[in-house]
Amino acid sequence: MPNVSQALKNIQQSESEWKQHPTLSFSEFLEELSLHPERVIRNIYQYYADMFHTYVTADQDEYHDDPESINYVNYDSSRLFVENSDRPFFADRLFANRLARHVESLSVGAQQNKIYIFEGPHGSGKSTFLNNLLRKFEEYSRTSEGKRYETVWRLKRDHLFGGMHSFNNLTDRLAWYLENEGKEDLAEEMRKACKNGDELLGDHIEIACPSHDNPILHIPKNARRRFFDDLLENEEFKWKLFTEKKYEWVFLDTPCTVCMSLYQSLMRLHNDPRKVLDMVYARPYIKNRRVGEGISVYNPGDKPLSEAVLRNEMVQRSLDILLSDSDRVDYIYSSYAKTNDGIYALMDIKSHNTERLMELHNIISDGVHKVENTEEYVNSLLLALMNPEDKMMLKDLQAFSDRIEYINVPYILDLKTEVEIYRNTFGKHIDESFLPRVLHNFARVIIATRLHTKSEAMLDWIGDPGKYDTYCDQNLQLLKMEIYTGHIPKWLSEEDLKSFTAKRRQKIIAESERDGWKGLSGRDSLKMFNEFYADYFSEDKLIDMSMLVKFFKKYCKQDKNILPPGFLDSVQKMYNYGILQEVKESLYYYNEAQISRSIQNYMFAVNFEPGTIETCRFTGDKIEVTDEFFQRIESKLLSQRSNAKAFRADVQKKYTSVTLPQEILRDNLDITKTSLFKQLHSKYIHNLKEKVLEPFLKNENFRMAVKDFGSESFKTYDKKIRYDVTYMIENLQKKFQYSHQGAKEICIYVIDNNLASFFSRQRDL
């Protein structure tokens, strides 16, 4: 039997949010304000920033110890743009940092009215971005963190007609009052509207502020500072409220024209602001895009309203009856009022939205909109989307240009985000069909079509791109992609790492503003990936780099300008270098304790001239300081091309200026925790790994053992080879997420292509 009762109970529970958002009297509202001032006292800009920070988290800067870091961090925006979304938007690292700066600029200081235009090429995801942003904005307004209040006037009959209790109901009292004022026609109209003796008005009527005013605006301006000083006990917030520019609106803004007129009419009746404020109530300001409350979105094809002025005849009639002895309160407003303290958005600046943008000019300049004879203040966050070709229509609006701020939404330039889009579209299982790194290399090729071939910022930093021919392309696009993802490659020279200053980093990131406006769009890349995956997916063989290169070379024949010359070969070389490092890392095992002792002895010995014998203060070892001693350790620290004497002098300088006086003596760090030790240890390990494959390259049994790994034949090999191969395969699976099959394939690939010898020769050239 169906459980109807339980089903209905579930509906009741699902609608419980209305119980959590009751309407408050003005006194109850002030109690809420004193408990949560940061939540209650915020305008649309602060609210927008709070919403962003609620759903977006910033990871720690990977290079926070680097004095040249520019705080280019990874933002996790999945809760804002991806979770529970039918069409998720993936913000790459560049756009997320751009958006974070935009939000931060809104949340500090007094705001100049502007329209914020998100500009990007077709297929960059602008519409998806804005739709998801507005959906979360609407959702946020229903949470406790996103609760804001708007004004509702509750006009009680006792407040207005307290002396006329001889009549049975409010209708008779009002009719009597109107007749005595000589308004018989209005009295008769009111009686006719009441059929069967029902009340026209109950105990009270509610008049919602059409502009969603914060109830604090009804506190007289000249009394607000003293009022908040008495009300607030939170001294920290009180100091912010009275001193920070972003809270100036609290003391400068006025209520909407309707509320101001109503306040003045009630003051004429009572001449007591406390009695008037007793009629002010606060209810949660819930955003609802579908009915245009707090969020209004206009598409280019949406025709303008036939009536520019909006009215509510029932509310107007009630006000005319209740306030007939005072000046008329006109309950009129425009569509802009419905999104006051909310978001007004234009989807693409074309057709009717071009006209709407022009209408916003006066509002942006003055914050005022004329509604018949009244002025309406508009305090909305104005957002718009624009394609580059539509920008021409703004070229003659010079007075408008300083009121527009552009935020670029180009094609994805962060390869990690590009891969996430493939996983989201085709399923996360696609990783199982690729050898590691190959899927990301597909993204690299796609992104290369979106970058400018020449980069002034990269060439200013890397004077001679040819020196990285082993790992990178001649235009340094592959290196630029790494920087865009927030990664500084380890294959960069010590000299280039030192010259990678904050200024240079900012110049490279700034170039992202002009990258991503050409090349393969998001839709194109998904179509291309679908074709590639369909062509090369196989149950018994993983997709490798040879397949990827073959696929894209076919497209290069069709369009020779789609990629820079030689780019695919550079991707192949970068891939070869990367997998070689993974195999070396997986085969590497050395005595870490001995490595640590050698480095500590070296750091101590550089402070003495050759020919002396000293006892190391860190290890207790007696050291005979000779050129042979230095050369033995420096052979593990440096390449053959490096200047050993200059390196030794640099180590000695760092040791005496930073390591010993600051980190060891002042900060009481163990020598193994110092930055110099970590730097030398990294170099030492790196150079040991470079040579780890050498003993195995000419050993045919090693190659055959890799092929036979996991089979009965593997047991026929000697114990040492079995141990080395097992150690390598297991590490590839554990450290680099290779499958059993993938680990075997990649080891055979490295050995058969003699990658260790190739890169060793390249390094020595």
Side-chain angles (χ1 to χ4, degrees), residues 292-345:
E293 291 294 340
I295 302 174
S296 286
V297 181
Y298 294 95
N299 290 301
D302 295 337
K303 294 182 179 179
L305 295 173
S306 56
E307 289 289 337
V309 177
L310 303 178
R311 292 179 168 86
N312 187 316
E313 294 299 337
M314 184 178 293
V315 170
Q316 186 65 65
R317 181 179 296 175
S318 300
L319 287 172
D320 290 345
I321 292 170
L322 293 175
L323 303 174
S324 59
D325 64 331
S326 62
D327 291 340
R328 177 182 175 87
V329 175
D330 289 325
Y331 195 79
I332 62 172
Y333 55 96
S334 74
S335 59
Y336 295 114
K338 291 172 72 66
T339 53
N340 196 51
D341 249 6
I343 295 179
Y344 181 99

Side-chain angles (χ1 to χ4, degrees), residues 637-692:
L637 294 171
L638 302 171
S639 66
Q640 294 182 5
R641 293 177 296 172
S642 300
N643 186 324
K645 287 187 178 180
F647 176 80
R648 199 180 307 163
D650 187 55
V651 171
Q652 197 269 339
K653 180 180 178 182
K654 290 178 180 177
Y655 176 84
T656 55
S657 62
V658 177
T659 305
L660 183 61
Q662 296 182 28
E663 295 180 298
I664 295 176
L665 297 180
R666 185 192 68 190
D667 300 335
N668 200 30
L669 289 181
D670 185 88
I671 188 173
T672 60
K673 306 296 183 184
T674 64
S675 55
L676 180 58
F677 177 90
K678 291 177 181 178
Q679 178 187 348
L680 295 176
H681 185 269
S682 177
K683 286 178 172 293
Y684 199 108
I685 298 299
H686 174 77
N687 283 294
L688 284 179
K689 290 176 184 176
E690 285 294 308
K691 300 175 182 178
V692 72

Side-chain angles (χ1 to χ4, degrees), residues 79 114 152 159 165 216 250 310-311 374 404 413 434 437 454 465 513 521 567 651 746 754:
R79 289 184 63 210
K114 286 185 178 182
V152 177
H159 288 162
H165 292 289
I216 64 175
V250 175
L310 303 178
R311 292 179 168 86
T374 65
I404 295 177
L413 299 174
F434 288 82
R437 292 177 176 263
K454 186 177 181 181
E513 298 290 342
S521 70
F567 181 80
V651 171
I746 211 66
N754 204 12

Side-chain angles (χ1 to χ4, degrees), residues 43 45-46 105-114 116 243-249 252:
N43 61 14
Y45 304 107
Q46 295 160 325
S105 70
L106 289 176
S107 65
V108 296
Q111 285 304 317
Q112 179 189 32
N113 291 329
K114 286 185 178 182
Y116 298 90
T243 59
E244 293 187 4
K245 295 283 287 183
K246 66 180 181 180
Y247 289 112
E248 280 188 349
W249 67 272
L252 299 178

Side-chain angles (χ1 to χ4, degrees), residues 327-378:
D327 291 340
R328 177 182 175 87
V329 175
D330 289 325
Y331 195 79
I332 62 172
Y333 55 96
S334 74
S335 59
Y336 295 114
K338 291 172 72 66
T339 53
N340 196 51
D341 249 6
I343 295 179
Y344 181 99
L346 302 177
M347 289 280 190
D348 288 336
I349 307 300
K350 57 183 63 174
S351 188
H352 294 300
N353 277 351
T354 303
E355 302 164 20
R356 291 187 178 97
L357 183 67
M358 299 306 156
E359 288 176 6
L360 288 173
H361 183 250
N362 289 333
I363 295 175
I364 293 172
S365 299
D366 306 320
V368 174
H369 177 62
K370 198 77 172 179
V371 184
E372 290 189 350
N373 294 322
T374 65
E375 286 188 341
E376 184 178 81
Y377 287 91
V378 179

Side-chain angles (χ1 to χ4, degrees), residues 17-30 32 147-156 204-209 215 278-286:
E17 69 175 47
W18 296 106
K19 297 178 182 178
Q20 300 170 14
H21 301 295
T23 299
L24 306 178
S25 68
F26 195 71
S27 296
E28 291 170 333
F29 167 74
L30 294 179
E32 177 76 4
K147 187 186 294 184
R148 294 173 78 203
Y149 290 95
E150 61 179 344
T151 296
V152 177
W153 293 89
R154 187 171 288 181
L155 306 180
K156 298 182 180 180
H204 66 270
I205 64 167
E206 285 193 353
I207 311 293
C209 170
D278 282 341
M279 301 182 211
V280 174
Y281 282 71
R283 72 179 180 190
Y285 183 7
I286 304 296

